[in-house]
Structures are given as structure tokens and as C-alpha cells.
């Protein structure tokens, strides 16, 4: 966080270029304004038995090794852009979804975030150990002027995850970043739909790190 905060003011504003004549420059809120308006809203989570769903604060007490081994290994915390630095430095809330080895759950986990906030930064980390199976439905209809939402997923060997995302921002700018690592013979199905808002960027990356 400290490294990201230090780099935040050194990095240029984001500019998006489409073709030769279409430009869009985002004006990220300054740090003082962000700190004053950051939402503490958390998603309402409906989870079946056998699956651990914890805030990052709770996970630091009971599953600290998972946060250290997996969360910090993603480049979300590599502040190479102003947006990444902003998210890493100031994101106040996160959710860990942990599925133990060989636990196969039919009932989906529902992440439901709604309401009205000025600025909303949030993070989801999903870890499915070997041979496990889970479906996650990520719903968001938050009315915010600025939102940064990051999802990191670890799919163990022979594990299976379905991740379905529906985001319907009422206004403002939305930046969604999803990144996953899939082990040997593991499977991950992403489904994403995004409607509304003044500007939206959605990035999805999947790394296959095992055979099969």
C-alpha cells in the first residue's frame, strides 16, 4: 500500500484512444477527496455450507497464508498505472471466497452490491483448491460516480469455477479488472455483462499454468 501510495502522484492520468480521433481522458479523484468519500459498503453474500466467505480483515486473522501466497502474487498490487496504484493504495474492502479441496457445491454464491456511494473500491479473491467446484454470481447495481472492482481467482488442479458477472452502473466511471490462474485440468468459465454509466473499462485475463 505504501509503495502504491508513493507512486500515485508520479503516474499520469489515464487516457484511452480509439482509432485516430476518439480520445477519453479520465480524471481520477484526488486522494483527499477519495479518502473523504470512500464507501465502506460491502457486498451482501449468500454462501452455502462448506465455503468460507470472509472480509480481508477477517481472513488476515484466520487465513493469513492465503492472502500472502495468492493475493499479493497478482499484478493488481504492481502500481504500473495510476488506476492500479489508486486501487492498491486505497481499496478499503475485500472479500475472500475459499473452497477447500474436493468440496463440490451446487448452490451458487451470490455477491450482491447495491445502493448509492460517491466512490467505491472493492476486491474479490477466490481460491478453489484441488478437485473443488463452485459457481459465483457477482451482481452490482451500485450508483457511484467512480468504481474500481478487481477479481482475482485461483483454480486448483482438477477444480472448476463458474464466475458470472452482471454490472449495471447507474452513472459515473467503472473500471473492472479480472485475472485468474488455472491449474492442471482445471476449468474456469467467465461470463460478464456490463451496461450503463458514462464510461466503462473491463479487462479479463486468464493464465493457464498447468497441462490439460
Amino acid at each position: 500500500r505504501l509503495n502504491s501510495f508513493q507512486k500515485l502522484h508520479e503516474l499520469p492520468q489515464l487516457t484511452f484512444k480509439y482509432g485516430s480521433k476518439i480520445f477519453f481522458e479520465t480524471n481520477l479523484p484526488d486522494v483527499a477527496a477519495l479518502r473523504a468519500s470512500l464507501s465502506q459498503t460491502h457486498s451482501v453474500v449468500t454462501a452455502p455450507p462448506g465455503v468460507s466467505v470472509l472480509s480481508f480483515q477477517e481472513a488476515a486473522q484466520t487465513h493469513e497464508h492465503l492472502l500472502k501466497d495468492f493475493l499479493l502474487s497478482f499484478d493488481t498490487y504492481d502500481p504500473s498505472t495510476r488506476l492500479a496504484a489508486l486501487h492498491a493504495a486505497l481499496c478499503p474492502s475485500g472479500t475472500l471466497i475459499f473452497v477447500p479441496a474436493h468440496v463440490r457445491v451446487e448452490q451458487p454464491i451470490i455477491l450482491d452490491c447495491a445502493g448509492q456511494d460517491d466512490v467505491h473500491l472493492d476486491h474479490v479473491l477466490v481460491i478453489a483448491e484441488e478437485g473443488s467446484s463452485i459457481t459465483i454470481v457477482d451482481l452490482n447495481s451500485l450508483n457511484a460516480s467512480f468504481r474500481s472492482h478487481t477479481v482475482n481467482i485461483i483454480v486448483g488442479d482438477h477444480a472448476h469455477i463458474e464466475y458470472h458477472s452482471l454490472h449495471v452502473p447507474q452513472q459515473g466511471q467503472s473500471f473492472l479488472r479480472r485475472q485468474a490462474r488455472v491449474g492442471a485440468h482445471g476449468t474456469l468459465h467467465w461470463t460478464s455483462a456490463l451496461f450503463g454509466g458514462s464510461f466503462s473499462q473491463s479487462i479479463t485475463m486468464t493464465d493457464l499454468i498447468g497441462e490439460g
Side-chain angles (χ1 to χ4, degrees):
R1 281 182 179 272
L2 180 59
N3 181 42
S4 299
F5 185 81
Q6 291 171 341
K7 289 189 175 183
L8 183 57
H9 297 291
E10 303 170 5
L11 296 165
Q13 289 282 1
L14 299 178
T15 300
F16 298 93
K17 180 179 180 181
Y18 302 91
S20 60
K21 297 182 179 180
I22 302 176
F23 293 86
F24 182 85
E25 182 171 301
T26 63
N27 293 312
L28 301 185
D30 62 48
V31 174
L34 275 172
R35 282 181 164 174
S37 56
L38 268 174
S39 167
Q40 296 297 325
T41 301
H42 296 270
S43 297
V44 176
V45 181
T46 303
V51 177
S52 296
V53 180
L54 306 167
S55 69
F56 282 176
Q57 290 82 359
E58 294 169 331
Q61 303 298 319
T62 59
H63 295 75
E64 182 180 6
H65 63 291
L66 295 179
L67 298 182
K68 287 184 176 180
D69 291 346
F70 297 113
L71 182 63
L72 298 181
S73 68
F74 283 95
D75 63 4
T76 305
Y77 287 91
D78 176 18
S80 55
T81 69
R82 188 174 177 85
L83 178 61
L86 178 75
H87 187 97
L90 297 176
C91 182
S93 62
T95 301
L96 169 66
I97 300 174
F98 174 61
V99 190
H102 307 294
V103 172
R104 308 185 68 85
V105 181
E106 297 296 330
Q107 178 185 346
I109 290 179
I110 308 296
L111 304 177
D112 191 359
C113 188
Q116 182 158 351
D117 291 313
D118 186 19
V119 176
H120 192 86
L121 311 180
D122 62 329
H123 202 125
V124 178
L125 172 63
V126 182
I127 301 174
E129 291 192 322
E130 180 178 359
S132 62
S133 177
I134 194 73
T135 297
I136 299 169
V137 179
D138 183 356
L139 305 173
N140 186 282
S141 58
L142 193 68
N143 191 7
S145 60
F146 179 87
R147 186 178 190 224
S148 174
H149 177 65
T150 296
V151 178
N152 294 140
I153 295 180
I154 297 290
V155 182
D157 295 349
H158 299 278
H160 176 75
I161 291 182
E162 300 268 350
Y163 199 99
H164 306 296
S165 175
L166 175 60
H167 288 246
V168 189
Q170 303 300 310
Q171 63 169 344
Q173 303 173 15
S174 297
F175 297 89
L176 313 179
R177 181 180 175 88
R178 305 175 183 89
Q179 188 174 3
R181 296 196 186 112
V182 182
H185 302 284
T187 56
L188 169 62
H189 294 160
W190 296 103
T191 302
S192 178
L194 176 60
F195 305 95
S198 61
F199 179 84
S200 298
Q201 182 195 52
S202 179
I203 298 174
T204 301
M205 298 174 288
T206 304
D207 299 324
L208 307 180
I209 58 176
E211 296 182 355

